């Protein structure tokens, strides 16, 4: 018993060290102490708030719109404390390239004559100059760019995510409980996470997952074409954002739906096959056609994704267990360094020597999606399994299996399961509160359950206040992603955008350059960009200088402290 207690204590210490959300742990302790010693604290006020929110919750369409607009309005109100973010991570620049391409009315850019100087991570240069990513995130960013800034697309996507998650929860729970889940979504994912405060993504997959799982219970209740259309749209969003994880989420839903359709008879079956299923297939076919058209524009093959072209050309990503390492020659050292890092991670995965790393990744995912406060009601998951919402637990299990065969597990990988995590929390809260009401009010345990069921979501809703009041707002609540050098790149870029004329910035990396601090990123239309970034080839720069002879040329040394920018002269060739 002592050994078991010691192991549990050690595990708790490890979780707290990785999670680093000290305030939420302290809030959890406060909730448990309050539930133990003052279980009736604030009960009257809670009932009043419930009655007020209940009136809004019963107006389902209005509450969905309200939760989405609230997400957008709150984040805009925080702009003085949290300005529009700068892109930092390699993935962000790739998504922004796709956004810029789409915003200019193109699906892909022609390969540039000087493409060798512009090679960079997560961007293909042949047969076209394009992002390697699927287009969903880029489409949102393109919409934002047309509105004035790509980040507005992020803002819209997270607002739509909050609305879609609430819509999904309305299909599974009574209106009041669904609204509670929507509020938790706004507080936990909608304001302070990197899903809102970067260009990396996460919300697009969450929207697709919410539409798929929100359509299933509605289809069970009525055979309306609208629900089948929304199901098809959700599947298309998953295919174009997180196809592998989306398949893991959609598979249990598809089996459940097909099993339900198999049991239908008479008018319901005729309605399904004559109206609903054709509408579903039509939308799916139209979306599939557009996706294959995008693939063809980028890669020349309607069945070949840009992702696969990047793998064949540069040797990465190696994120799935069955991907094989391909020996690849790289022209530039940062590209080769990233390739070696990918290979190293993949080899660790293959020989299963990263058990501890798996555990740490699991803690990171738990911290992002649930955290200490929302873990309390999950002790009632067995009751959820015995109820009508078993599909949610099966879907969560399917997602866990899918994530287990991935080398990297950032939270946006699991974005499609956002609504699943919230649905399980809401379902557990319902069982927790019901247990507190029906076991017997005079006993201490039921009164504690009631108090904790009320206090956990309320305290969670108040958690963001401390960030604002104490000035500890950190928009980049992201793990292993601190790349301050790219903030310096943004400063250099803004400096040259304000200068007259056209500029060519040749990036000369130092011997200890970190590939995460990549500086060579360009707009979709390189020739007409005010600032062009290129790699330094020493004496091989002649062709580049000749091509851009109408530009002022500069040497940028990002690994100096601070980064050094000097005008290019012939003596600076090497």
């Amino acid at each position: 018993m002592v050994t078991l207690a010691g192991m549990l204590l050690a595990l708790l210490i490890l979780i707290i060290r990785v999670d680093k959300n000290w305030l939420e742990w302290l809030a959890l302790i406060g909730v448990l102490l309050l539930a133990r010693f003052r279980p009736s604290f604030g009960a009257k006020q809670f009932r009043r708030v419930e009655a007020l929110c209940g009136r809004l919750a019963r107006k389902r369409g209005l509450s969905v719109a309200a939760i989405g607009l609230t997400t957008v309005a709150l984040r805009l109100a925080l702009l003085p404390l949290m300005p529009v973010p700068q892109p930092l991570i390699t993935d962000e620049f790739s998504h922004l390239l796709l956004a810029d391409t789409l915003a200019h009315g193109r699906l892909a850019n022609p390969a540039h004559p000087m493409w060798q100087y512009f090679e960079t991570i997560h961007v293909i240069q042949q047969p076209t100059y394009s992002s390697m990513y699927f287009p969903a995130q880029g489409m949102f960013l393109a919409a934002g760019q047309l509105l004035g800034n790509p980040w507005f697309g992020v803002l819209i996507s997270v607002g739509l995510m909050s609305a879609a998650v609430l819509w999904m929860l309305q299909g599974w729970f009574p209106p009041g409980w669904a609204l509670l889940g929507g509020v938790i979504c706004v507080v936990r994912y909608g304001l302070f996470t990197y899903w809102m405060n970067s260009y990396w993504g996460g919300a697009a997959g969450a929207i697709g997952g919410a539409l798929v799982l929100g359509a299933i219970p509605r289809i069970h209740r009525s055979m309306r074409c609208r629900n089948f259309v929304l199901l098809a749209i959700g599947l298309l969003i998953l295919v174009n954002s997180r196809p592998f994880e989306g398949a893991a989420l959609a598979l249990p839903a598809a089996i459940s739906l097909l099993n339900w359709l198999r049991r239908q008879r008479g008018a319901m079956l005729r309605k399904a096959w004559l109206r609903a299923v054709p509408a579903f297939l039509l939308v799916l076919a139209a979306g599939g056609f557009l996706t294959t058209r995008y693939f063809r524009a980028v890669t020349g093959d309607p069945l070949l994704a840009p992702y696969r072209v990047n793998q064949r050309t540069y040797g990465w990503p190696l994120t799935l267990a069955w991907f094989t390492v391909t020996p690849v020659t790289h022209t530039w050292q940062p590209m080769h360094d990233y390739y070696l890092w990918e290979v190293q991670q993949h080899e660790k995965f293959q020989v299963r020597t990263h058990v501890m790393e798996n555990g740490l990744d699991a803690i990171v995912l738990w911290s992002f999606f649930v955290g200490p406060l929302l873990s309390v009601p999950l002790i009632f998951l067995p009751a959820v399994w015995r109820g009508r919402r078993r599909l949610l637990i099966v879907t969560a299990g399917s997602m866990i299996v899918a994530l287990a065969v991935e080398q990297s597990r950032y939270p946006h990988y699991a974005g499609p399961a956002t609504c699943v995590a919230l649905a399980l929390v809401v379902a557990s809260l319902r069982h927790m509160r019901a247990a507190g009401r029906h076991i017997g009010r005079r006993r201490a345990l039921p009164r504690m359950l009631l108090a904790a069921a009320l206090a956990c979501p309320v305290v969670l809703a108040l958690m963001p206040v401390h960030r604002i009041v104490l000035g500890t707002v950190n928009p980049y609540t992201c793990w292993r992603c601190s790349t301050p050098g790219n903030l310096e790149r943004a400063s250099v870029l803004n400096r040259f955008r304000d200068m007259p004329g056209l500029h060519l910035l040749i990036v000369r990396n130092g011997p200890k350059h970190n590939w995460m601090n990549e500086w060579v990123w360009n707009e979709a239309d390189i020739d007409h960009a005010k600032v062009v970034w290129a790699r330094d080839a020493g004496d091989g720069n002649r062709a580049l200088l000749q091509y851009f002879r109408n530009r002022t040329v500069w040497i940028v040394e990002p690994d100096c402290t601070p980064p050094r920018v000097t005008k290019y002269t012939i003596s600076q060739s090497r």
Side-chain angles (χ1 to χ4, degrees):
M1 184 65 70
V2 175
T3 304
L4 178 61
M7 293 175 63
L8 291 174
L9 180 61
L11 178 61
L12 180 61
I13 293 173
L14 174 64
I15 290 173
I16 294 175
R17 284 179 62 85
V18 175
D19 183 33
K20 297 184 188 230
N21 196 345
W22 294 95
L23 193 62
E24 190 168 341
W25 282 100
L26 292 175
L28 173 62
I29 294 171
V31 165
L32 296 177
L33 291 175
L34 184 67
R36 173 65 182 88
F37 296 107
R38 293 290 302 276
S40 60
F41 178 79
K44 292 182 179 179
Q45 289 78 6
F46 288 147
R47 284 194 290 271
R48 291 174 185 170
V49 172
E50 281 183 320
L52 179 63
C53 293
R55 289 196 289 271
L56 172 62
R58 285 188 289 273
K59 301 175 181 178
R60 295 173 181 263
L62 179 61
S63 59
V64 168
I67 211 76
L69 292 174
T70 298
T71 304
V72 173
L74 288 176
R75 183 59 186 89
L76 289 175
L78 289 171
L79 281 177
L81 293 174
M82 299 167 59
V84 173
Q86 295 286 349
L88 302 178
I89 313 301
T90 54
D91 308 63
E92 295 180 88
F93 288 102
S94 184
H95 286 303
L96 287 168
L97 169 62
L98 177 53
D100 194 27
T101 303
L102 297 175
H104 282 86
R106 298 188 297 272
L107 296 177
N109 307 292
H112 196 276
M114 298 288 109
W115 63 269
Q116 295 93 336
Y117 296 91
F118 306 134
E119 285 186 295
T120 191
I121 298 171
H122 299 333
V123 173
I124 65 173
Q125 303 289 339
Q126 296 288 337
T128 61
Y129 168 47
S130 305
S131 167
M132 78 164 191
Y133 283 113
F134 290 85
Q137 178 69 6
M139 291 171 67
F140 279 113
L141 297 180
Q145 183 168 326
L146 293 175
L147 293 174
N149 191 297
W151 181 75
F152 292 151
V154 177
L155 186 68
I156 292 170
S157 70
V158 178
L160 289 174
M161 176 193 75
S162 300
V165 166
L166 175 54
W167 179 81
M168 175 268 180
L169 293 173
Q170 288 175 345
W172 290 91
F173 300 100
W177 286 100
L179 182 59
L180 173 63
V183 171
I184 294 174
C185 180
V186 174
V187 172
R188 189 152 201 97
Y189 316 122
L191 297 176
F192 299 103
T193 68
Y194 75 99
W195 288 11
M196 172 68 92
N197 300 290
S198 77
Y199 304 88
W200 211 354
I207 294 169
L211 291 179
V212 169
L213 288 178
I216 297 300
R218 289 173 168 85
I219 291 173
H220 287 184
R221 289 194 291 267
S222 66
M223 200 69 64
R224 300 180 65 179
C225 288
R226 180 181 67 181
N227 297 324
F228 278 86
V229 168
L230 290 173
L231 174 62
I233 293 173
L235 290 172
L236 290 170
I237 293 175
L238 290 175
V239 166
N240 287 283
S241 58
R242 305 294 320 176
F244 175 69
E245 300 85 353
L249 177 135
L251 181 60
I255 294 174
S256 171
L257 182 59
L258 290 173
N259 187 46
W260 179 83
L261 285 172
R262 182 179 59 84
R263 298 196 305 267
Q264 301 308 302
R265 297 291 185 272
M268 287 289 284
L269 185 62
R270 287 194 299 273
K271 185 177 181 181
W273 287 109
L274 293 177
R275 295 179 56 189
V277 172
F280 169 79
L281 294 176
L282 180 62
V283 173
L284 211 59
F289 170 76
L290 294 176
T291 299
T292 55
R293 184 181 178 190
Y294 172 73
F295 287 174
R296 183 175 182 178
V298 175
T299 69
D301 184 341
L303 300 180
L304 181 62
Y307 201 82
R308 293 293 294 165
V309 172
N310 196 86
Q311 286 178 315
R312 294 176 182 178
T313 308
Y314 299 114
W316 72 77
L318 296 170
T319 50
L320 296 175
W322 53 85
F323 287 165
T324 57
V325 176
T326 304
V328 177
T329 302
H330 300 90
T331 306
W332 309 106
Q333 190 62 41
M335 307 279 287
H336 189 62
D337 290 343
Y338 179 71
Y339 169 75
L340 293 178
W341 180 84
E342 282 270 359
V343 171
Q344 182 185 41
Q345 298 302 310
H346 190 67
E347 289 174 349
K348 285 183 181 180
F349 189 89
Q350 293 297 322
V351 298
R352 300 294 190 271
T353 60
H354 66 318
V355 175
M356 178 60 72
E357 187 173 336
N358 275 349
L360 296 178
D361 284 341
I363 293 173
V364 166
L365 291 173
W366 164 82
S367 174
F368 184 91
F369 286 102
V370 182
L373 276 170
L374 296 182
S375 295
V376 174
L378 293 182
I379 59 176
F380 284 86
L381 274 180
V384 179
W385 174 260
R386 292 191 297 268
R388 294 181 296 105
R389 299 174 180 87
R390 188 176 300 179
L391 175 62
L392 298 173
I393 296 182
V394 174
T395 304
S398 176
M399 286 295 300
I400 290 172
V401 171
L403 292 171
V405 299
E406 288 191 289
Q407 172 186 301
S408 300
R409 300 175 191 87
Y410 291 112
H412 61 280
Y413 284 31
T418 303
C419 61
V420 179
L422 283 171
L424 292 178
V425 167
V426 171
S428 300
L429 276 170
R430 290 189 74 207
H431 285 286
M432 186 176 182
R433 190 165 181 184
R437 282 178 168 173
H438 296 124
I439 294 177
R441 291 181 179 274
R442 293 186 179 181
R443 298 179 185 176
L445 179 59
R447 288 187 286 118
M448 287 178 60
L449 292 176
L450 268 173
L454 289 170
C456 283
V458 172
V459 173
L460 180 70
L462 295 175
M463 288 295 294
V465 175
H466 86 278
R467 303 192 183 202
I468 301 170
V469 173
L470 300 180
T472 58
V473 171
N474 178 14
Y476 243 91
T477 47
C478 174
W479 300 268
R480 294 174 285 182
C481 301
S482 177
T483 55
N486 277 321
L487 287 178
E488 294 171 335
R489 177 191 182 277
S491 176
V492 171
L493 178 60
N494 290 332
R495 168 185 161 190
F496 279 96
R497 280 177 173 169
D498 293 336
M499 293 173 62
L502 301 175
H503 303 275
L504 171 64
L505 275 57
I506 300 178
V507 178
R508 178 173 292 171
N509 296 320
K512 296 183 178 180
H513 179 73
N514 183 350
W515 58 263
M516 289 189 72
N517 265 358
E518 190 50 68
W519 282 51
V520 178
W521 304 99
N522 284 293
E523 299 175 14
D525 189 352
I526 294 178
D527 286 346
H528 294 94
K530 184 175 178 63
V531 180
V532 173
W533 301 81
R535 297 195 182 275
D536 180 26
D539 293 337
N541 287 336
R542 292 189 182 91
L544 180 71
L545 297 174
Q546 178 62 25
Y547 187 88
F548 290 107
R549 56 186 175 275
N550 62 330
R551 291 177 178 263
T552 306
V553 184
W554 306 81
I555 289 290
V556 179
E557 298 174 89
D559 298 315
C560 296
T561 306
R564 184 185 305 157
V565 181
T566 55
K567 200 162 186 178
Y568 182 88
T569 60
I570 299 299
S571 61
Q572 286 182 303
S573 354
R574 62 177 184 179

